[in-house]
Amino acid sequence: MNDIKKNTGSLPGIKADRGSVTGIAPPLTGASRSSRPSGPTPEPEHRKMHLRPVWIVLILLLPCLALTFYYSQVLAPGGEETDSFLPTTSYAFVLLLLNLDLIGFVVLLLLLSRNLIKAYFERRHRLFGSGFRTKLVAAFIGFSLIPTVLLALVASGLVNKAVDVWFSDQIEQVMRDSYDVARMQHAGHITLAVNSARAISHEIYREDMLLAEQRDLLVAAMARKRAEFGVAGIEVFSAKMETLTKALDLDVPSSALDLPIGQLVLQVINGKQEVNAVQEAQTGRLVRAAAPIAASGRGGEIGGVVVVEAYVPESLLAKMEGIGHQYDEYKQTKAMKNPIKAGAYLFVAVITVLILFGATWFGFYVAQSITVPIQRLAEATEAIAQGDLSVRIEAKATDEIGTLIDSFNRMTSDLQGSKSEIEEANISLRHSNLELDRRRAYIETVVETIAAGLLSIDKNGLITNFNPSGERILGLAADRFRGRPANEVFKEFRLDLFQTVYDRMLADQRDTLALEGPMEIDGRFLTIGLHGSRMKDEASKDLGIVLVFEDLTELIKAQKVAAWQEVARRVAHEIKNPLTPIQLSAQRLRKKFFEKSPDFETIFDEATNVIVNEVTSLKHMVDEFSKFARLPTPQMAYQSLHDVINEVTTLYRGAHKDVELIVELDEDLPSLNFDREQLKRVLVNLLDNAIQAMQQKGRVWLSTKYDMKRRRAVVSVADEGMGIAPEDQEKLFVPYFTRKKTGTGLGLAIVRHIITDHEGQIHASQNQPKGAVFTFELPV
């Protein structure tokens, strides 16, 4: 191998290297190029001389292997069984064949070793072509050795396993047990007959069935007992050997049941003890058991004999005998276990050596153009494996190896380009991941620090996040929420408001929903403002729902206090206004009365009219306040909002000649769930306010629109009045706030109350170019 390494390191190209191996001499010449014979004739002669021993060994070895297997597996197991310590004829013949196989195996190994040793010495003397031939032979042996050895090991293991399984203790135990079962089957028939005869004898004695007047009972009892014990027949004889009754199985051949029985009965009478016998018939085997029947009233005397017959059919006897015969054959075959295993091992070894021998000979006689380019490819592949993708093979060739080198160079070039692209993509991906990590950390910080509570639910209904503010508001630990189904958590902690928003968003496929209401959590009463939003990715794929909530308890209290303070102030103001003229009228009336004024009647009439009018006004204001305080509960029903709008606008058309009412209705608006009378009151209040704001002259727009995405009905009432002052924007819906001289300030408060009861929202804004717009939304 040293000279090969030297050549591969000094030659830059392939053409010269390939030329160095094209003139390899045929193998096994044993001489250099100068001493090689000039003519081709001696070479085939020499080759035939080397092939002849191989063919002779193979011709003798293969038939020996076949005969070994034939005699060890076919003839030997069926050979005769002998008690001699000497081996049988078949066993000795198998041993002879094994020895012949072993001799052929050794000769084949010697031939293989001879060729390998000869090749080694040729390589050592550096004969022409010996290096390439050695590498080629080594390659063929190497490629064939591993699978051949593996195959040999696996085959040997399988043979060993198969033979061990064939002759294992379990198999032998099964065969022995089968043999024992067959014997016990026969013994079971005898036991059945004996036990049955004994039991029947006792019963006949106990019931006194041998009496003449009990003969019918005896006949019936014996028939019943035969069926009960499942025997072939029951016969009862008197002490004088007279047949008293017979109960025979009709399915049992009569040739078996008619076998002579007198001798058996006589033995029982004479011996006064139980006797059993086995009788052979052409159709099977009959087992008979006879038991004496004690005479009633006479101790020690025999009153009769009962004989029970059990039948063993011919088929069962054949199977029992077959089991015994197979068990004997198995024992004979097991004696050949070691020769069979040795023959199998030898056969596997011979096949292995034949494969290696064939690979060696094939390597000697096959010459191909496998030279330095393959080694260069291997070196370049190793360099690529080490990470050097800039390696290239500089060689010129036009055959398949040249195509392989070109493909290899293109592959390395593509790999180098792909590596650069992957590195750039990796850098970009690393930057993206860092940016995503920063954004994620920022979002988590925001979620953790916002004052509002946040609860997120994924598309599978599991709670994924619950921030500290939510824990603080609800007083519940986040660990009791995360990773659990939302419906289960809402039910466990009685979060009915959360359950309502979640269910409505799922049922109506809403993107947003806002509700507020009271809740009781661990004995605490809270007013929660809850806003639900649907999470979606860039492809508008649903990711779940986020619920943001706030504790509005203190805010609601403050708003209520402020509202009632404002109401009290305005009510006081409104009550004070009529009280002043009432007081002045009363004082004037009192003064005129004491002065005995001549115009007292006129002043009395004027003063009392003032008092009555002011009291009436005061009473009207109190009535309006009472109505606002006790609005009825909405009577909800699914119906058309457009029908209500048309009904209300019909009242206004023609009632105000200088007012133009413009109605624009969205035909796509579906039916809504609302209280008809309360919605009419809302529309009437808004239209009245619009007409009064325009001084009974101008245009009023009433329109509806269906927001399909939010599933909301949007109703707008716009006018061309004076509009809304900025300072009044936040006070419009406060009770008793009004800029009208004759208004009570409760109309818009009532409107807002009704819209809120319908789970809607209302707001006011400026109309362009002038006027105001009141818009309320209702859920669809």
Side-chain angles (χ1 to χ4, degrees):
M1 297 297 290
N2 295 331
D3 58 339
I4 295 176
K5 292 182 180 179
K6 182 177 179 180
N7 291 336
T8 57
S10 60
L11 296 176
I14 297 177
K15 188 173 182 180
D17 293 333
R18 293 180 59 204
S20 64
V21 296
T22 54
I24 294 178
L28 302 177
T29 57
S32 64
R33 185 186 302 192
S34 59
S35 61
R36 194 176 55 209
S38 58
T41 306
E43 188 65 27
E45 296 278 346
H46 198 55
R47 190 176 304 170
K48 290 179 181 178
M49 293 298 293
H50 287 297
L51 287 175
R52 189 174 301 164
V54 176
W55 287 110
I56 293 174
V57 173
L58 289 177
I59 291 173
L60 295 176
L61 182 59
L62 292 178
C64 285
L65 287 173
L67 289 174
T68 303
F69 271 92
Y70 179 75
Y71 275 96
S72 63
Q73 296 185 9
V74 178
L75 294 182
E80 65 279 1
E81 185 178 7
T82 178
D83 296 331
S84 175
F85 287 102
L86 297 176
T88 62
T89 305
S90 300
Y91 188 83
F93 188 64
V94 169
L95 291 178
L96 176 62
L97 292 175
L98 286 176
N99 290 328
L100 293 177
D101 294 337
L102 184 60
I103 292 172
F105 175 69
V106 172
V107 172
L108 203 59
L109 283 177
L110 290 175
L111 292 175
L112 177 61
S113 301
R114 171 181 175 276
N115 291 326
L116 293 176
I117 293 171
K118 186 173 183 180
Y120 169 74
F121 281 107
E122 289 179 353
R123 170 80 174 107
R124 187 173 182 180
H125 289 87
R126 298 184 180 180
L127 298 179
F128 182 79
S130 59
F132 171 72
R133 184 166 55 253
T134 303
K135 289 193 296 181
L136 191 61
V137 171
F140 274 96
I141 294 177
F143 287 141
S144 61
L145 181 63
I146 296 177
T148 303
V149 171
L150 289 177
L151 179 62
L153 293 176
V154 172
S156 300
L158 291 176
V159 168
N160 185 50
K161 187 67 176 178
V163 174
D164 289 341
V165 169
W166 294 342
F167 303 108
S168 64
D169 295 337
Q170 291 85 353
I171 298 296
E172 184 176 4
Q173 184 65 36
V174 170
M175 295 295 293
R176 186 183 299 112
D177 291 344
S178 300
Y179 183 70
D180 292 341
V181 167
R183 290 188 295 104
M184 286 189 293
Q185 176 70 16
H186 182 267
H189 284 81
I190 298 175
T191 303
L192 174 63
V194 171
N195 292 336
S196 300
R198 186 180 299 130
I200 294 171
S201 171
H202 291 324
E203 183 170 351
I204 292 173
Y205 171 74
R206 185 175 61 253
E207 300 294 335
D208 286 337
M209 294 184 186
L210 293 179
L211 299 177
E213 57 271 16
Q214 299 287 344
R215 190 62 48 83
D216 294 337
L217 177 61
L218 178 64
V219 173
M222 294 305 101
R224 185 179 70 254
K225 288 296 180 179
R226 190 205 63 77
E228 178 181 344
F229 289 110
V231 294
I234 299 175
E235 299 184 33
V236 180
F237 298 90
S238 65
K240 297 180 180 181
M241 298 183 64
E242 298 174 349
T243 302
L244 300 180
T245 183
K246 287 184 180 181
L248 304 178
D249 188 354
L250 299 179
D251 294 333
V252 178
S254 58
S255 59
L257 296 175
D258 292 341
L259 292 173
I261 194 175
Q263 188 65 29
L264 181 65
V265 175
L266 183 60
Q267 290 180 7
V268 174
I269 293 173
N270 294 332
K272 296 182 180 182
Q273 61 182 1
E274 298 174 354
V275 178
N276 60 76
V278 177
Q279 295 175 297
E280 300 291 340
Q282 294 181 352
T283 58
R285 178 179 295 169
L286 190 66
V287 178
R288 282 173 168 166
I293 303 173
S296 177
R298 293 178 292 174
E301 295 295 329
I302 296 178
V305 177
V306 58
V307 180
V308 176
E309 300 164 338
Y311 175 70
V312 181
E314 180 66 25
S315 58
L316 182 59
L317 289 174
K319 292 180 179 179
M320 293 168 60
E321 293 176 357
I323 292 173
H325 180 68
Q326 291 175 3
Y327 181 59
D328 294 337
E329 287 187 353
Y330 177 79
K331 290 192 295 184
Q332 295 177 13
T333 305
K334 189 173 182 180
M336 300 293 295
K337 174 181 178 180
N338 292 330
I340 292 174
K341 186 181 292 188
Y345 285 156
L346 187 59
F347 180 78
V348 171
V350 171
I351 295 299
T352 302
V353 173
L354 285 176
I355 294 175
L356 295 177
F357 188 79
T360 305
W361 278 94
F362 191 68
F364 276 121
Y365 288 100
V366 174
Q368 297 177 353
S369 299
I370 304 175
T371 54
V372 177
I374 302 300
Q375 189 173 4
R376 293 284 180 86
L377 284 172
E379 294 172 355
T381 304
E382 182 65 25
I384 290 176
Q386 298 298 327
D388 183 12
L389 297 178
S390 62
V391 63
R392 299 291 185 274
I393 298 178
E394 300 294 336
K396 294 182 180 180
T398 57
D399 56 3
E400 292 79 2
I401 294 182
T403 303
L404 178 62
I405 292 173
D406 293 338
S407 300
F408 181 84
N409 290 333
R410 285 196 302 271
M411 180 193 70
T412 54
S413 178
D414 294 340
L415 286 175
Q416 189 173 14
S418 300
K419 182 180 179 182
S420 301
E421 294 176 358
I422 291 173
E423 290 176 349
E424 294 175 359
N426 190 24
I427 294 173
S428 176
L429 183 60
R430 189 180 297 111
H431 291 320
S432 300
N433 289 337
L434 292 175
E435 181 64 25
L436 288 175
D437 289 339
R438 286 195 293 268
R439 291 180 60 185
R440 180 182 56 79
Y442 176 76
I443 292 173
E444 290 180 354
T445 303
V446 171
V447 171
E448 296 291 332
T449 55
I450 58 174
L454 184 142
L455 187 147
S456 61
I457 305 172
D458 63 12
K459 62 181 180 179
N460 297 321
L462 299 179
I463 296 177
T464 57
N465 194 14
F466 187 60
N467 69 342
S469 297
E471 295 181 278
R472 175 181 53 79
I473 293 173
L474 299 182
L476 299 173
D479 294 339
R480 304 171 71 181
F481 281 66
R482 292 193 185 101
R484 296 179 59 191
N487 292 325
E488 177 184 321
V489 172
F490 295 157
K491 182 178 180 181
E492 178 181 348
F493 299 108
R494 300 177 64 186
L495 304 178
D496 299 333
L497 187 63
F498 287 73
Q499 187 71 63
T500 300
V501 172
Y502 182 57
D503 290 343
R504 289 188 181 179
M505 292 189 69
L506 291 180
D508 300 338
Q509 293 297 316
R510 296 186 181 183
D511 290 336
T512 60
L513 179 62
L515 287 180
E516 64 179 48
M519 292 177 55
E520 180 184 358
I521 302 176
D522 293 338
R524 297 185 301 123
F525 291 92
L526 304 175
T527 300
I528 300 295
L530 183 60
H531 183 84
S533 299
R534 191 175 296 275
M535 296 185 294
K536 294 185 178 181
D537 58 10
E538 297 178 353
S540 297
K541 185 179 179 181
D542 186 15
L543 299 179
I545 293 175
V546 174
L547 301 178
V548 180
F549 55 94
E550 294 180 287
D551 184 3
L552 304 179
T553 306
E554 298 301 327
L555 178 62
I556 294 298
K557 288 180 180 179
Q559 288 178 348
K560 286 182 178 180
V561 171
W564 282 111
Q565 287 177 348
E566 180 68 18
V567 169
R569 185 183 66 81
R570 292 193 175 277
V571 169
H573 177 73
E574 294 297 333
I575 293 176
K576 184 179 179 181
N577 287 339
L579 287 179
T580 300
I582 291 173
Q583 182 183 11
L584 293 175
S585 298
Q587 289 174 352
R588 182 184 177 192
L589 186 62
R590 179 182 177 83
K591 179 180 178 183
K592 293 297 182 179
F593 176 75
F594 285 111
E595 291 178 353
K596 304 295 183 178
S597 175
D599 57 350
F600 177 76
E601 292 183 359
T602 303
I603 293 173
F604 180 81
D605 183 62
E606 292 176 357
T608 53
N609 283 333
V610 170
I611 292 173
V612 170
N613 290 334
E614 293 300 331
V615 170
T616 301
S617 177
L618 185 61
K619 184 177 182 299
H620 176 69
M621 181 186 64
V622 173
D623 290 340
E624 288 295 322
F625 182 76
S626 298
K627 291 180 182 179
F628 171 72
R630 63 172 189 272
L631 282 173
T633 303
Q635 302 298 319
M636 312 295 283
Y638 280 97
Q639 51 197 315
S640 172
L641 181 61
H642 290 171
D643 292 344
V644 178
I645 293 175
N646 292 331
E647 184 178 343
V648 172
T649 55
T650 302
L651 301 175
Y652 285 88
R653 294 187 187 277
H656 304 276
K657 60 179 180 178
D658 294 331
V659 175
E660 181 183 359
L661 185 58
I662 303 173
V663 180
E664 298 176 355
L665 304 180
D666 189 349
E667 297 298 333
D668 295 332
L669 181 65
S671 298
L672 306 180
N673 190 24
F674 62 89
D675 186 309
R676 188 181 190 88
E677 294 302 323
Q678 291 193 10
L679 258 295
K680 286 174 62 177
R681 187 172 184 180
V682 169
L683 294 173
V684 168
N685 271 303
L686 294 179
L687 290 174
D688 283 344
N689 287 345
I691 293 172
Q692 291 177 14
M694 298 188 305
Q695 303 296 325
Q696 310 290 327
K697 185 178 182 180
R699 291 179 295 176
V700 178
W701 290 269
L702 195 157
S703 64
T704 62
K705 181 181 179 182
Y706 177 39
D707 190 343
M708 188 175 301
K709 183 177 181 181
R710 298 170 53 233
R711 295 183 64 82
R712 310 283 282 184
V714 182
V715 183
S716 299
V717 178
D719 59 62
E720 293 181 325
M722 298 302 294
I724 304 171
E727 63 272 12
D728 297 339
Q729 184 72 40
E730 297 182 358
K731 304 177 183 179
L732 288 175
F733 300 101
V734 176
Y736 289 98
F737 173 78
T738 180
R739 294 296 185 186
K740 297 184 291 185
K741 295 180 180 180
T742 60
T744 62
L746 293 176
L748 289 179
I750 293 173
V751 167
R752 183 176 186 179
H753 196 293
I754 293 173
I755 296 301
T756 303
D757 285 346
H758 284 73
E759 299 180 4
Q761 297 174 346
I762 184 169
H763 61 274
S765 60
Q766 299 291 346
N767 190 22
Q768 298 298 331
K770 64 176 182 176
V773 179
F774 285 84
T775 303
F776 65 88
E777 299 178 357
L778 297 175
V780 176

